[in-house]
Amino acid sequence: MAASANRWDDHGESVVQRPLLDRRVLRSWPWLVGLVVLGAVAGAAVQQARPSTYVSTVRIDLAPGDLLAPSSTGDRQVATELLYLTGPEVARAVQAQAPGAALDAAQVGLSNVVQVSVSTDSEQEAVRGAEALLAAYTERLGAEASGRVESLQNELSQITSQLSQLPATPRTQEEELVRAGLQGQYDALLNSLGQARVQAAGPTAVALDQPADNVGERSPSLPRGGALGALLGCLLALAVIAFRRRTWRVEDVDDVVRLGERPLGPQVPGVSGAWVSALPGRASQDPVESAARLVAGRLLANKEPGRPVVLQSVDDAAAGSVVAVNVATALARETPTVLLCAADAYERRVARWFAVPDAAYGLADLKGEESARSIDGLVQPTAVEGLYLLPAGSRSARQVERAEDAVCSPDLLSRFAAAGWRVVVDAPPICDSAVVNRMAGSAPVVAVVATVGRTPVDLLHRGLSELRSAGLAVEGVVVSAPAPVEEPAVPGTARG
């Protein structure tokens, strides 16, 4: 079945495309509401704990007399003054009187006026900081004016010296031109010097306000703190929801359908208690029995006899083994069935459930001489009529490799098929083994087991893609409840 919910990434592999609002996101509203409320309460509490802020504001006219006129000092000069008023020199002067104070400066409209603010937790410190700012700025303006007067005086002295060295009466036209040029420079410098002296004697900037006369208190805003806290809580909740969507796990059969795959029946219910002991006499109306029979029927519908049935979990070996045992039991009700316990080569699980000793002859012990043994000599009987096990075999350093080689052996599978037996393979999880990929030549009937609440949808999709890329025709997905805590072994059902 085509995976209609997929798209292709830059590497040519299909990936799951989740809807923006799925039921998981909609069910996450308690996270959203809870974190929004918590954020609002925390934001309001933080604002409540903050002290009031006092702001002393001073307006400075950079060109007295032109308050309402367009700025005559030019945008660049205004920008330069703003940088100085908020620069390190003024900041050091303000910090000396108001430690921790914050500075802010801005031009008032298009005028020559700038507004400077000093903010701190104390009203007295805010006033002292603003006074220190005015003093530092006034001192800088005075130093600049005095420096300009001194510079012009030096230039004027140099021009005067050059003029005194020229003859009183020019003898040539060239001398007359030089004297005229120097005289022009002298007159211009003399005029500039006069203006500079006037500016130095008078104010070049005027404070329109006194720091103590324009002090305001800014109290913490509880609504503002609550709104900011609620916004932060909302963002945090959305981040949590987004993270949870990245770990989207299978919850029911509908998730398989949304993935574009075929579910092999309803969810297989969980087993509990002595469920293995109850297998021999379990009624057909039992939920697990009926679900297993439905899975078995759909797997083998219109299939050639003799094809092995492979059940492979994505990442939960225990749940895969539970499904394999139940499906094998359902098949054994009508046809002798052998369960190849390939997953037990990694961890002995099915063998313990049926009290099969670890040293019992099994998959890892097959070395080509199985043809000399009868089928009854290869398998272990169980309490379920018609159900037999071929365990993992004796433990060794190469038990996994040998067991998987035996499962992939066409000779072994053909012997069971020739005897009219059904073969069910409890394969290791996709994330642990590629044994099912190696069985492609035997045309197995493959079903993938996904565990509710444990199997990530992304991992399920990648596992299905991997099996299909190996040439396997995956019949569908079995959705199963998690496996229970392991029960004691069934006594008296196996031979050593």
Side-chain angles (χ1 to χ4, degrees):
M1 181 177 293
S4 58
N6 304 334
R7 58 182 173 83
W8 301 94
D9 63 11
D10 295 337
H11 303 288
E13 297 181 358
S14 58
V15 295
V16 180
Q17 192 173 25
R18 301 179 181 86
L20 180 62
L21 290 177
D22 59 24
R23 53 192 174 140
R24 291 171 180 78
V25 175
L26 297 177
R27 283 205 304 263
S28 299
W29 67 266
W31 281 92
L32 183 61
V33 174
L35 288 177
V36 166
V37 172
L38 182 62
V41 172
V46 170
Q47 286 290 93
Q48 182 68 30
R50 289 181 57 190
S52 297
T53 301
Y54 294 89
V55 182
S56 178
T57 303
V58 178
R59 292 177 298 163
I60 301 174
D61 186 359
L62 303 179
D66 295 331
L67 178 61
L68 299 178
S71 178
S72 61
T73 55
D75 292 339
R76 289 188 177 181
Q77 184 176 348
V78 172
T80 301
E81 298 305 310
L82 291 175
L83 288 175
Y84 175 79
L85 288 169
T86 56
E89 184 177 344
V90 174
R92 283 193 294 269
V94 172
Q95 294 291 333
Q97 298 297 324
L103 289 176
D104 184 41
Q107 182 179 6
V108 178
L110 298 176
S111 66
N112 301 316
V113 179
V114 295
Q115 180 173 289
V116 186
S117 302
V118 178
S119 305
T120 185
D121 297 338
S122 169
E123 182 178 2
Q124 292 77 16
E125 288 185 355
V127 173
R128 291 198 301 267
E131 291 174 345
L133 181 148
L134 283 177
Y137 186 58
T138 302
E139 181 180 353
R140 179 239 185 181
L141 292 178
E144 286 183 349
S146 299
R148 177 166 175 74
V149 170
E150 183 178 354
S151 175
L152 290 173
Q153 286 177 339
N154 291 335
E155 292 183 24
L156 188 63
S157 298
Q158 293 177 3
I159 296 297
T160 302
S161 175
Q162 293 178 16
L163 284 173
S164 64
Q165 295 175 5
L166 293 176
T169 303
R171 294 187 295 271
T172 64
Q173 185 177 4
E174 182 178 356
E175 289 181 354
E176 183 177 357
L177 291 175
V178 170
R179 173 176 284 279
L182 290 174
Q183 187 64 45
Q185 293 181 34
Y186 178 84
D187 295 340
L189 285 172
L190 188 62
N191 183 51
S192 298
L193 180 60
Q195 294 179 359
R197 285 174 176 171
V198 171
Q199 291 177 357
T204 57
V206 175
L208 304 179
D209 308 293
Q210 292 302 317
D213 297 337
N214 197 8
V215 181
E217 180 182 0
R218 295 177 182 173
S219 300
S221 174
L222 296 184
R224 181 171 179 268
L228 292 176
L231 178 60
L232 181 61
C234 181
L235 294 176
L236 181 59
L238 292 176
V240 171
I241 293 172
F243 175 77
R244 294 182 69 192
R245 290 181 81 238
R246 291 184 61 85
T247 58
W248 183 14
R249 299 179 183 275
V250 174
E251 290 188 351
D252 52 33
V253 175
D254 289 341
D255 288 331
V256 176
V257 176
R258 290 188 182 91
L259 194 59
E261 299 293 340
R262 176 196 178 200
L264 294 172
Q267 175 181 321
V268 177
V271 293
S272 60
W275 67 276
V276 175
S277 302
L279 288 176
R282 192 168 62 186
S284 59
Q285 296 82 8
D286 182 87
V288 178
E289 179 75 16
S290 61
R293 292 189 180 189
L294 181 58
V295 170
R298 290 187 175 179
L299 276 174
L300 297 178
N302 302 319
K303 300 297 187 302
E304 301 85 353
R307 293 178 62 183
V309 175
V310 178
L311 291 154
Q312 185 174 33
S313 66
V314 178
D315 57 346
D316 188 352
S321 295
V322 169
V323 172
V325 168
N326 281 289
V327 171
T329 300
L331 292 173
R333 306 293 188 196
E334 299 182 4
T335 306
T337 301
V338 58
L339 177 62
L340 306 188
C341 304
D344 275 22
Y346 291 80
E347 180 181 354
R348 303 300 169 102
R349 184 176 292 107
V350 176
R352 287 202 305 270
W353 292 344
F354 288 93
V356 176
D358 283 354
Y361 187 86
L363 294 170
D365 303 309
L366 300 177
K367 301 176 182 177
E369 74 276 8
E370 62 271 14
S371 59
R373 284 176 172 254
S374 64
I375 289 182
D376 291 338
L378 293 175
V379 298
Q380 297 284 338
T382 69
V384 179
E385 184 179 357
L387 178 63
Y388 301 86
L389 301 182
L390 185 50
S394 57
R395 297 181 182 274
S396 67
R398 299 181 59 193
Q399 64 178 1
V400 172
E401 177 184 348
R402 289 175 176 173
E404 292 188 351
D405 287 344
V407 170
C408 299
S409 170
D411 294 339
L412 178 64
L413 299 176
S414 61
R415 285 199 65 195
F416 287 114
W421 286 32
R422 285 287 187 188
V423 176
V424 177
V425 180
D426 176 23
I430 297 174
C431 59
D432 294 334
S433 172
V435 63
V436 180
N437 303 44
R438 297 170 55 193
M439 295 181 65
S442 301
V445 180
V446 181
V448 174
V449 179
T451 308
V452 171
R454 294 185 182 177
T455 301
V457 173
D458 286 348
L459 192 59
L460 171 61
H461 175 64
R462 288 198 297 270
L464 291 166
S465 300
E466 179 182 339
L467 292 175
R468 291 190 173 108
S469 65
L472 293 164
V474 181
E475 294 300 320
V477 179
V478 180
V479 179
S480 170
V485 178
E486 295 200 10
E487 62 171 293
V490 180
T493 60
R495 57 174 180 257

